[in-house]
Amino acid sequence: MGRVVPDSVAGEPCLRLKAADGASAVVSRWGAQLLSWRPAGDDERLFLSPKATLDGSAPIRGGVTLVFPQFANYGALPAHGFARDRWWAQRLGWSADAVTFELRDDPHTRALWPHRFACEYTVRIGGPTLAMELSITNHGETAFRFQAALHTYLRVDDLSLLRIEGLAGAPYLDRTAADHLDRQYEAQLAIAGEVDRIYPGAPKRVLVREPLRSIEIVADGGFTDQVLWNPGPERCARIADLERRAWRQLLCAEASCIADPPLLPPRAVWRGSQRLTAM
């Protein structure tokens, strides 16, 4: 299951990265969305929905979605903010294995969120690793708070055989139970049914283990939280841009800052990074 990686989004050609060792990635300027990542000598590691909207009228379901300046419905903005459905500018000086995109405030964003800002997002590939860095600069005269996440759709072979390691003992907010605060006790978490969790102050390293392969996720910088999401069969059936059985082939695991939104002073810069390593 999964979509053939497109050559363009809304008529705008996608950017293809190809490292000397064979690692590759595809990125669209729409939302600066990473649509594909193949580590060197490996198969596709990101899930892209066959029903994803690619005409620029809506966010793209799959890949790595940039969430800013609001996570989900935790505020008055559209869900997950506006960064994922804006055209980002490609910065000059990109190379075969890395690219940087930029999003700045404009009349549209200021009508939704009255702050002057600049976001820079860099994607870098090589060998078994995908590195992503997001930076946010406050160009205004007043401080602002924000939330951000690298909403990463991992492509998995069989969700029922997958286990997640590294979160034993960590508290989490259960979004399926009105943000009830709970604690994970399992050393190896299995996914059964809908899961929607925010782990505040989570460990920086999480391992998503499958029988024949794994992915290590390492967060750094201002990303203090970890999110796990899978819609489960019932919710998946209600999501228009997912096939009914897609929940079996995806897991969202992402570095984020949600529970305690950073306060960014004027002229200050915030940075957060996430590194995925195929194992």
Side-chain angles (χ1 to χ4, degrees):
M1 181 179 293
R3 184 169 195 155
V4 175
V5 180
D7 292 323
S8 63
V9 173
E12 176 78 17
C14 295
L15 179 69
R16 294 181 176 269
L17 302 179
K18 187 70 175 282
D21 56 25
S24 66
V26 178
V27 195
S28 168
R29 282 206 311 113
W30 178 249
Q33 188 112 352
L34 185 61
L35 303 177
S36 170
W37 168 50
R38 290 177 177 265
D42 204 345
D43 297 326
E44 178 64 60
R45 289 302 193 109
L46 298 181
F47 173 88
L48 180 63
S49 174
K51 299 176 70 176
T53 301
L54 298 174
D55 63 3
S57 65
I60 299 170
R61 175 73 68 179
V64 179
T65 301
L66 295 182
V67 173
F68 173 82
Q70 174 185 299
F71 181 82
N73 57 355
Y74 293 154
L77 295 174
H80 287 331
F82 48 69
R84 64 179 183 160
D85 57 2
R86 303 291 295 165
W87 289 106
W88 289 56
Q90 182 182 323
R91 294 291 300 273
L92 297 176
W94 63 282
S95 62
D97 59 0
V99 65
T100 298
F101 294 93
E102 182 180 60
L103 179 70
R104 288 180 173 266
D105 63 278
D106 59 24
H108 173 84
T109 66
R110 291 193 296 273
L112 295 170
W113 194 64
H115 298 291
R116 302 292 301 268
F117 70 88
C119 294
E120 281 195 7
Y121 174 57
T122 298
V123 173
R124 187 179 304 276
I125 58 170
T129 301
L130 165 65
M132 297 167 279
E133 181 178 81
L134 179 67
S135 69
I136 299 165
T137 303
N138 182 351
H139 285 303
E141 301 301 325
T142 59
F144 60 71
R145 292 191 184 275
F146 68 93
Q147 295 169 316
L150 299 178
H151 189 44
T152 304
Y153 286 75
L154 299 178
R155 180 187 176 98
V156 304
D157 289 331
D158 185 343
L159 186 73
S160 67
L161 301 179
L162 177 148
R163 299 295 183 268
I164 302 165
E165 301 176 4
L167 295 170
Y172 66 89
L173 300 172
D174 188 348
R175 285 175 39 81
T176 70
D179 285 351
H180 172 71
L181 182 62
D182 209 332
R183 186 177 296 274
Q184 179 179 313
Y185 294 101
E186 303 96 325
Q188 294 188 326
L189 178 66
I191 304 296
E194 182 181 357
V195 171
D196 195 350
R197 299 181 177 185
I198 301 169
Y199 292 80
K204 293 293 187 181
R205 178 185 179 274
V206 173
L207 184 65
V208 178
R209 186 183 296 279
E210 299 185 70
L212 298 178
R213 63 182 192 172
S214 302
I215 283 189
E216 179 190 61
I217 304 170
V218 177
D220 205 353
F223 283 132
T224 55
D225 309 334
Q226 179 68 219
V227 171
L228 295 179
W229 181 77
N230 181 279
E234 294 181 4
R235 185 174 177 188
C236 188
R238 299 194 300 270
I239 298 176
D241 54 0
L242 278 178
E243 295 183 326
R244 292 182 64 89
R245 295 173 61 85
W247 64 276
R248 295 174 177 270
Q249 265 71 54
L250 71 89
L251 174 73
C252 287
E254 63 211 69
S256 56
C257 55
I258 302 167
D260 186 15
L263 179 65
L264 193 62
R267 312 305 172 190
V269 181
W270 173 96
R271 289 185 173 86
S273 65
Q274 175 176 262
R275 186 178 73 251
L276 274 59
T277 302
M279 303 171 64

Coordinates of all heavy atoms in Angstrom, one line a residue, residues 4 7 14 21 30 33-34 37 42 58-59 64 70 99 105-106 115 135 138 151 163 175 227 242 252 254 267:
V4 N 2.5 6.1 -5.6 CA 3.7 6.4 -6.3 C 4.0 7.9 -6.1 O 3.2 8.7 -6.2 CB 3.4 6.1 -7.8 CG1 4.6 6.6 -8.7 CG2 3.0 4.7 -8.1
D7 N 5.7 13.5 -9.4 CA 6.7 14.4 -10.0 C 6.4 15.9 -9.7 O 7.3 16.7 -9.8 CB 6.8 14.2 -11.5 CG 7.3 12.8 -11.9 OD1 8.2 12.4 -11.2 OD2 6.8 12.3 -12.9
C14 N 8.3 18.7 -8.1 CA 8.9 18.4 -6.8 C 10.5 18.3 -7.0 O 11.0 18.1 -8.1 CB 8.4 17.0 -6.4 SG 6.7 16.9 -6.0
D21 N 25.7 8.0 -2.3 CA 25.6 6.6 -1.9 C 24.3 6.0 -2.3 O 24.0 4.8 -2.0 CB 25.8 6.4 -0.4 CG 24.9 7.3 0.4 OD1 23.8 7.6 -0.1 OD2 25.2 7.6 1.6
W30 N 5.0 22.8 -1.7 CA 3.7 22.9 -1.0 C 3.9 22.3 0.4 O 4.0 21.1 0.6 CB 2.6 22.2 -1.8 CG 1.3 22.3 -1.1 CD1 0.6 21.2 -0.6 CD2 0.4 23.4 -1.0 NE1 -0.6 21.6 -0.1 CE2 -0.8 23.0 -0.3 CE3 0.5 24.7 -1.3 CZ2 -1.8 23.9 0.0 CZ3 -0.5 25.6 -1.0 CH2 -1.6 25.2 -0.4
Q33 N 6.8 19.8 2.0 CA 6.5 18.5 2.5 C 7.4 17.4 1.9 O 7.6 17.3 0.7 CB 5.0 18.1 2.0 CG 4.5 16.8 2.6 CD 3.4 17.0 3.6 OE1 3.1 18.2 4.0 NE2 2.8 16.0 3.9
L34 N 8.0 16.7 2.8 CA 8.9 15.5 2.4 C 7.9 14.4 2.0 O 7.1 14.0 2.8 CB 9.8 15.1 3.5 CG 10.8 14.1 3.2 CD1 11.8 14.5 2.1 CD2 11.6 13.8 4.5
W37 N 11.4 9.1 1.2 CA 12.7 8.9 1.7 C 13.1 7.4 1.5 O 12.5 6.5 2.1 CB 12.9 9.3 3.1 CG 14.2 8.9 3.7 CD1 15.4 9.1 3.2 CD2 14.3 8.2 5.0 NE1 16.4 8.6 4.1 CE2 15.8 8.0 5.2 CE3 13.5 7.8 6.0 CZ2 16.3 7.4 6.3 CZ3 14.0 7.1 7.1 CH2 15.4 6.9 7.2
D42 N 18.0 0.7 0.4 CA 16.8 0.3 1.2 C 15.5 0.6 0.4 O 15.5 1.3 -0.6 CB 16.8 1.0 2.5 CG 16.0 0.3 3.6 OD1 15.2 -0.6 3.3 OD2 16.1 0.7 4.8
A58 N -5.3 21.4 -0.3 CA -5.4 20.9 1.0 C -4.0 20.4 1.4 O -3.2 20.1 0.5 CB -6.4 19.8 1.1
P59 N -3.8 20.2 2.7 CA -2.5 19.5 3.1 C -2.4 18.1 2.5 O -3.4 17.5 2.2 CB -2.6 19.5 4.6 CG -3.6 20.6 5.0 CD -4.6 20.6 3.9
V64 N 6.3 13.8 5.6 CA 6.5 14.5 6.8 C 5.9 15.9 6.7 O 6.2 16.7 5.8 CB 8.1 14.7 7.0 CG1 8.3 15.5 8.3 CG2 8.8 13.4 7.1
Q70 N 0.6 26.0 15.4 CA -0.3 25.3 16.4 C -0.4 23.8 16.1 O -0.4 23.4 14.9 CB -1.7 25.9 16.2 CG -2.8 25.3 17.0 CD -4.2 25.9 16.7 OE1 -4.4 27.1 16.9 NE2 -5.1 25.1 16.2
V99 N 18.6 20.3 1.0 CA 17.9 21.5 0.6 C 17.3 22.2 1.8 O 16.9 21.6 2.8 CB 16.8 21.1 -0.5 CG1 15.7 20.3 0.2 CG2 16.2 22.3 -1.1
D105 N 6.2 35.4 7.2 CA 4.8 35.9 7.4 C 4.4 36.7 6.1 O 5.3 37.3 5.5 CB 4.7 36.7 8.6 CG 5.6 37.9 8.6 OD1 6.8 37.8 8.9 OD2 5.1 39.0 8.3
D106 N 3.1 36.8 5.9 CA 2.6 37.6 4.8 C 1.2 38.0 5.2 O 0.7 37.7 6.3 CB 2.6 36.8 3.5 CG 1.8 35.5 3.5 OD1 0.8 35.4 4.4 OD2 2.0 34.6 2.7
H115 N 1.8 37.8 13.9 CA 3.2 37.9 14.3 C 4.1 37.8 13.0 O 3.8 37.2 12.0 CB 3.5 36.7 15.2 CG 2.8 36.7 16.5 ND1 2.9 37.6 17.4 CD2 1.8 35.8 16.9 CE1 2.1 37.3 18.4 NE2 1.4 36.3 18.1
S135 N 14.0 25.8 12.1 CA 14.3 27.0 12.9 C 13.2 28.0 12.7 O 12.6 28.2 11.6 CB 15.7 27.5 12.5 OG 15.6 28.1 11.2
N138 N 11.8 35.1 15.4 CA 10.8 36.1 15.7 C 11.3 37.5 15.1 O 12.2 38.0 15.7 CB 10.5 36.2 17.2 CG 9.5 37.2 17.6 OD1 9.0 38.0 16.7 ND2 9.1 37.2 18.8
H151 N 5.6 16.0 11.6 CA 4.6 15.0 11.7 C 4.9 13.9 10.7 O 4.6 14.0 9.5 CB 3.2 15.7 11.4 CG 2.0 14.8 11.6 ND1 1.9 14.0 12.7 CD2 0.9 14.6 10.8 CE1 0.7 13.4 12.6 NE2 0.1 13.7 11.4
R163 N 6.7 -2.9 17.3 CA 6.9 -2.5 18.7 C 7.6 -1.2 18.8 O 8.6 -1.0 18.0 CB 7.6 -3.6 19.5 CG 6.8 -5.0 19.5 CD 5.5 -4.9 20.2 NE 4.9 -6.2 20.3 CZ 4.0 -6.6 19.4 NH1 3.6 -5.9 18.3 NH2 3.4 -7.8 19.5
R175 N -5.0 11.7 23.8 CA -5.9 12.6 23.1 C -7.2 11.8 22.7 O -8.2 12.5 22.3 CB -5.2 13.1 21.8 CG -4.3 14.3 22.2 CD -3.5 14.8 21.0 NE -4.2 14.9 19.7 CZ -5.0 15.9 19.4 NH1 -5.2 16.9 20.3 NH2 -5.6 15.9 18.2
V227 N 5.2 12.5 19.8 CA 3.8 12.1 19.5 C 3.8 10.8 18.8 O 4.6 10.5 18.0 CB 3.2 13.2 18.6 CG1 1.9 12.7 18.0 CG2 3.1 14.5 19.3
L242 N -7.6 8.8 3.3 CA -6.9 7.5 3.6 C -7.8 6.4 3.1 O -9.0 6.4 3.3 CB -6.7 7.4 5.1 CG -5.5 8.1 5.8 CD1 -5.6 7.9 7.3 CD2 -4.2 7.6 5.2
C252 N 2.5 7.3 12.8 CA 3.1 8.6 12.9 C 3.9 8.7 14.2 O 3.3 8.4 15.3 CB 2.0 9.7 12.9 SG 1.3 10.0 11.2
E254 N 6.7 11.4 15.9 CA 7.3 12.7 15.6 C 7.8 13.5 16.8 O 7.3 13.5 17.9 CB 6.2 13.6 14.9 CG 5.0 13.9 15.8 CD 3.7 14.0 15.0 OE1 3.2 13.1 14.5 OE2 3.2 15.2 15.0
R267 N 13.5 39.0 17.9 CA 14.8 38.7 17.3 C 15.5 37.4 17.7 O 16.6 37.2 17.3 CB 15.8 39.9 17.6 CG 15.2 41.3 17.4 CD 14.6 41.5 16.0 NE 13.9 42.7 15.8 CZ 13.2 43.0 14.8 NH1 13.1 42.2 13.8 NH2 12.6 44.2 14.7

